[in-house]
Amino acid sequence: RAKRGGKSDFHFFESSLDEQARVRREMELDLRLAIKDGGFELYFQPLYSLAREELEGFEALIRWNHPKRGMISPAEFIPLAEETGLILQIGEWVVREACRSAREWPEHLSVSVNVSAKQFSTPGLTTTILQALTQSNLRPNRLELEITESIFIADVEKTLSTLHKLRDLGVRIALDDFGTGYSSLSYLRSFPFDKVKIDQSFVRDLNVEGNNAHAVIRAITTLASALGMRTLAEGVEYAEQREILRREGCEYIQGFLLSRPVPASDVAALINCRDVGGLLRAVG
Ligand code: C2E
Ligand code: MG
Ligand code: MG
Ligand code: MG
């Protein structure tokens, strides 16, 4: 096994805890520099309404343009940002930048912003959101905050109170990566989310025969709709998946089938491309 990996694996096995700590410290310093020097960029991925066959808005997804390592995905640095608390400054930048971008789009389009658990539990969150809305002059209901089930691991009372404060600002709240957490169903009942984002793993399961994936999707869309929530499926890559999702009552989709996340400068092209549905129908 070690042989197959060649030299880099050898290096990996040799790397001591000291070495790992050094790399981590270096990355933390680089993150601090990126915050100071504007080393981040937002990419945007369309959210598409199957029912109305039109764009609903875009999800903002952060990228780190590292001076030496190039574009780094959030999966690589968000965990460290959370551990070090740097996520708070990064998160503030994300919401400000997302609102500023959305202000340039047609009025009916919304912007979705990911809020991490650490960010969610800080007292300054509602102020940060309010300031971003005020500075950009964006209508609050054009901003959607995406939270995950992990926020419920903390004090549930406090979590619910924060959710209600945010709702009172007029922003929308989506439950991201739904179905991957522990006790997903009970969380769904605890707050009137505007939208439930079905995790990509369930959409991927649709490709496999005989695993009841259709039934799981149908159960989620039925329950969500009974609770007055809309459903979006993440990670839709194939027209076949889109058709099953449509049949099973899913209202919105997001995924590479429509478009990969694109830099802000390419958003206008997606908005103007006789709506993204054209692309969708072409692919389907
Ligand atoms: P997420 O919020 O669930 O975002 C969806 C992820 O799935 C994105 O990865 C997106 O590029 C990817 N994706 C979209 N469509 C497809 C598809 O059809 N197939 C596949 N295989 N993947 C697809 P990304 O951009 O790497 O972000 C990963 C995660 O990092 C996000 O998951 C979110 O949890 C976190 N994240 C991203 N931006 C931010 C941010 O600004 N703040 C915070 N706190 N977290 C962020
Ligand atoms: Mg998300
Ligand atoms: Mg997600
Ligand atoms: Mg995810």
Side-chain angles (χ1 to χ4, degrees):
R1 214 175 152 245
K3 217 175 190 175
R4 190 181 43 140
K7 264 191 182 140
S8 55
D9 268 7
F10 179 70
H11 178 76
F12 174 77
F13 287 125
E14 286 294 288
S15 87
S16 61
L17 286 176
D18 278 358
E19 169 69 4
Q20 285 173 37
R22 194 190 59 78
V23 168
R24 212 190 99 105
R25 266 199 312 277
E26 199 174 282
M27 187 143 145
E28 182 181 339
L29 285 177
D30 286 352
L31 263 185
R32 287 185 192 279
L33 280 180
I35 292 170
K36 204 159 57 73
D37 302 343
F40 300 108
E41 185 176 350
L42 287 186
Y43 272 48
F44 295 92
Q45 189 182 33
L47 276 57
Y48 184 81
S49 163
L50 282 177
R52 285 179 283 112
E53 301 214 334
E54 65 182 23
L55 267 184
E56 194 220 3
F58 293 86
E59 176 173 3
L61 295 158
I62 195 171
R63 300 290 179 263
W64 178 9
N65 203 346
H66 192 281
K68 289 197 211 100
R69 296 169 53 199
M71 278 299 187
I72 305 182
S73 96
E76 263 190 77
F77 68 89
I78 293 287
L80 181 66
E82 284 239 311
E83 283 169 45
T84 53
L86 292 172
I87 190 67
L88 300 183
Q89 283 156 276
I90 296 173
E92 267 182 43
W93 176 82
V94 170
V95 71
R96 253 188 288 122
E97 187 66 14
C99 289
R100 219 174 49 80
S101 294
R103 195 65 181 80
E104 313 281 312
W105 310 338
E107 275 283 306
H108 67 281
L109 296 176
S110 60
V111 67
S112 304
V113 170
N114 293 283
V115 175
S116 77
K118 174 79 165 254
Q119 214 184 337
F120 187 86
S121 64
T122 44
L125 180 66
T126 43
T127 311
T128 300
I129 304 288
L130 190 59
Q131 276 173 356
L133 288 168
T134 313
Q135 279 167 14
S136 61
N137 198 23
L138 189 77
R139 256 194 304 115
N141 69 353
R142 291 184 61 193
L143 175 63
E144 182 164 79
L145 303 178
E146 298 192 359
I147 54 97
T148 62
E149 295 156 346
S150 63
I151 61 163
F152 288 101
I153 293 166
D155 182 348
V156 174
E157 294 283 303
K158 199 158 158 266
T159 295
L160 290 174
S161 132
T162 305
L163 284 171
H164 284 287
K165 270 191 216 136
L166 291 169
R167 171 60 60 72
D168 289 345
L169 293 180
V171 302
R172 293 165 10 191
I173 300 173
L175 187 54
D176 202 358
D177 303 343
F178 180 74
T180 57
Y182 179 73
S183 194
S184 300
L185 293 186
S186 65
Y187 300 139
L188 207 54
R189 217 179 46 172
S190 66
F191 185 80
F193 294 99
D194 295 277
K195 187 187 283 160
V196 175
K197 298 188 79 172
I198 303 172
D199 190 69
Q200 339 196 333
S201 55
F202 298 102
V203 175
R204 226 175 292 129
D205 283 348
L206 291 174
N207 305 341
V208 184
E209 292 281 330
N211 62 357
N212 298 321
H214 292 47
V216 172
I217 300 278
R218 189 182 319 155
I220 298 175
T221 59
T222 306
L223 178 61
S225 113
L227 293 168
M229 302 171 195
R230 302 174 301 161
T231 42
L232 175 144
E234 303 190 275
V236 180
E237 297 183 357
Y238 305 106
E240 293 78 10
Q241 294 171 332
R242 175 197 60 200
E243 288 319 307
I244 297 168
L245 290 161
R246 196 199 299 277
R247 258 201 323 275
E248 302 301 353
C250 188
E251 275 182 82
Y252 299 90
I253 58 169
Q254 177 179 2
F256 296 168
L257 175 65
L258 288 96
S259 165
R260 289 184 177 259
V262 299
S265 53
D266 291 351
V267 166
L270 284 175
I271 293 174
N272 295 329
C273 97
R274 267 202 62 94
D275 93 359
V276 185
L279 270 185
L280 258 184
R281 279 187 290 275
V283 177

